[in-house]
Amino acid sequence: MKAAFIYAPRDLRVEEVDVPKIGDDEALIRVRACGVCFSDIRFYLGLKKYKHTGFGREYPGFTGHEWAGEVVEMGKNVENISIGDRIVPSIIIPCGRCRQCRRGRINLCKDKIFTHGGFAEYVKAPAKNLMKMPDGLGFEEAALTEPIACCLNAGIRSGIREGDEAIIIGDGFMGILNMMIAKLLGASVTLIGHHDERLELAQRLGADKTINSKNMRSIGELEKEVGGKADAVIVSVGNKHAIETGLMLVDDGGVVNLFAGTYPPEKIELDPNMIHYGEIILTGSNVAPPKLFKEALNVLASRKLNVEPLIRYRFRLEEVERAFEAVERREVIKAMIVP
Ligand SMILES: [Zn+2]
Ligand SMILES: [Zn+2]
């Protein structure tokens, strides 16, 4: 089969290799779509390392967790799925032994690995991670299950409920998706970014208000433009300035959620009195617990999210590197690899 391997930062090769051999509890899946996530780009650029990249070592390795496909082979113990099923994975393979696993906080498992390997014609995964796709859902839409699960986790951890004012900082794919989920949870949402065409897209997809921060001279001006402080701020950009802006825009009793990793790590300025007197909650969200992957699939099946405009850019497997570069340069909102 063909599969994409990263040998070193910015050294990606699509090669011919053997189809993965499956264990008794695993399934082999023919990949039909795999989204390019910003975490794939970080691995490609060498900013982030994974313990498990399909070969048990950092390089060469392959990433790609946002896949959907068809089951073509199953191990002898597998009962929850059948050959031909259209499936998507819940991407976390937890250790099952650490304290977080024992407490049920699966996404915080210290030793978790992911169902990586989606930039290939075939991928293997533990059968218990696989969820059947609802009828009528396409593979490319289903490949959005993981990002939607991440945004549901962010919305829930930000305490967003009917009638809330929410602010999303960041107009990337995840910023726009966070906006859509916050809307679904009943909030009125302002999205702050700095790319006019993406802000327009956000507006079309339901944002109540969008603001280009490039046009704002001060945080006071930005706050005035927003029209007041918010109950929840999801910072969907990993940098100090965005996080500090988020902290300035949250109202007393509200939540600031750090949704994006920061590379390289930076320190932020924080006024402790804001947290004490204002009872502000500063939190984060990291992937999502398995039950939210199911919920994400339900959301997709319900057709309550108009995701179609987000999956317009398709690349063949041979073009993975070009897709990565297009995402890195922000030329496309989301790249979908269709082998
Ligand atoms: Zn992802
Ligand atoms: Zn664990």
Side-chain angles (χ1 to χ4, degrees), residues 85-118:
D85 279 351
R86 302 156 74 246
I87 50 89
V88 280
S90 167
I91 75 161
I92 297 169
I93 306 173
C95 78
R97 292 179 303 273
C98 73
R99 185 163 181 279
Q100 299 296 349
C101 281
R102 292 200 313 271
R103 301 293 294 158
R105 294 187 287 253
I106 303 298
N107 54 320
L108 301 185
C109 169
K110 296 282 178 234
D111 256 327
K112 61 183 172 290
I113 56 175
F114 299 102
T115 55
H116 278 147

Side-chain angles (χ1 to χ4, degrees), residues 64-329:
H65 56 269
E66 296 179 9
W67 49 266
E70 281 161 306
V71 177
V72 292
E73 196 188 327
M74 301 180 325
K76 68 173 180 350
N77 299 339
V78 176
E79 286 176 345
N80 60 322
I81 48 161
S82 315
I83 303 278
D85 279 351
R86 302 156 74 246
I87 50 89
V88 280
S90 167
I91 75 161
I92 297 169
I93 306 173
C95 78
R97 292 179 303 273
C98 73
R99 185 163 181 279
Q100 299 296 349
C101 281
R102 292 200 313 271
R103 301 293 294 158
R105 294 187 287 253
I106 303 298
N107 54 320
L108 301 185
C109 169
K110 296 282 178 234
D111 256 327
K112 61 183 172 290
I113 56 175
F114 299 102
T115 55
H116 278 147
F119 300 127
E121 287 177 283
Y122 295 91
V123 62
K124 69 171 183 176
K128 67 173 181 210
N129 280 65
L130 303 179
M131 306 179 296
K132 283 182 206 163
M133 286 165 50
D135 288 340
L137 198 65
F139 289 112
E140 294 174 32
E141 292 163 282
L144 300 181
T145 302
E146 186 263 351
I148 292 172
C150 294
C151 295
L152 283 169
N153 192 33
I156 292 165
R157 291 191 54 77
S158 307
I160 295 178
R161 57 199 170 102
E162 197 72 44
D164 272 358
E165 296 285 342
I167 293 173
I168 312 293
I169 300 180
D171 56 11
F173 173 73
M174 293 309 267
I176 292 179
L177 203 53
N178 267 314
M179 175 278 290
M180 292 166 81
I181 296 295
K183 288 291 298 175
L184 200 66
L185 295 172
S188 159
V189 187
T190 299
L191 188 136
I192 301 171
H194 57 256
H195 303 89
D196 281 329
E197 70 295 345
R198 292 195 172 187
L199 294 170
E200 266 163 45
L201 177 64
Q203 197 93 46
R204 268 201 289 133
L205 292 174
D208 294 279
K209 188 187 266 186
T210 59
I211 297 171
N212 191 329
S213 57
K214 270 205 283 211
N215 306 333
M216 300 291 128
R217 279 184 304 264
S218 66
I219 186 81
E221 198 177 326
L222 182 59
E223 194 187 323
K224 220 165 112 203
E225 191 64 30
V226 172
K229 296 193 188 238
D231 303 295
V233 182
I234 299 177
V235 186
S236 210
V237 182
N239 73 58
K240 173 182 159 77
H241 178 70
I243 296 166
E244 287 172 358
T245 302
L247 285 162
M248 298 302 292
L249 292 175
V250 71
D251 206 354
D252 286 354
V255 180
V256 176
N257 187 320
L258 308 190
F259 183 81
T262 304
Y263 293 87
E266 291 180 290
K267 299 271 187 271
I268 56 162
E269 300 275 344
L270 179 67
D271 171 7
N273 281 335
M274 219 182 102
I275 305 278
H276 169 68
Y277 292 109
E279 296 191 348
I280 284 159
I281 296 170
L282 178 59
T283 187
S285 52
N286 179 12
V287 201
K291 66 169 194 270
L292 291 183
F293 282 78
K294 281 238 154 57
E295 185 57 32
L297 212 45
N298 291 339
V299 166
L300 278 165
S302 74
R303 304 275 168 199
K304 282 183 195 146
L305 291 187
N306 176 18
V307 293
E308 207 278 319
L310 296 171
I311 44 178
R312 295 246 161 106
Y313 300 95
R314 297 175 182 89
F315 296 82
R316 284 176 298 116
L317 188 53
E318 294 77 6
E319 303 171 312
V320 173
E321 187 153 35
R322 202 157 73 72
F324 276 29
E325 281 167 1
V327 173
E328 186 201 345
R329 288 198 290 260

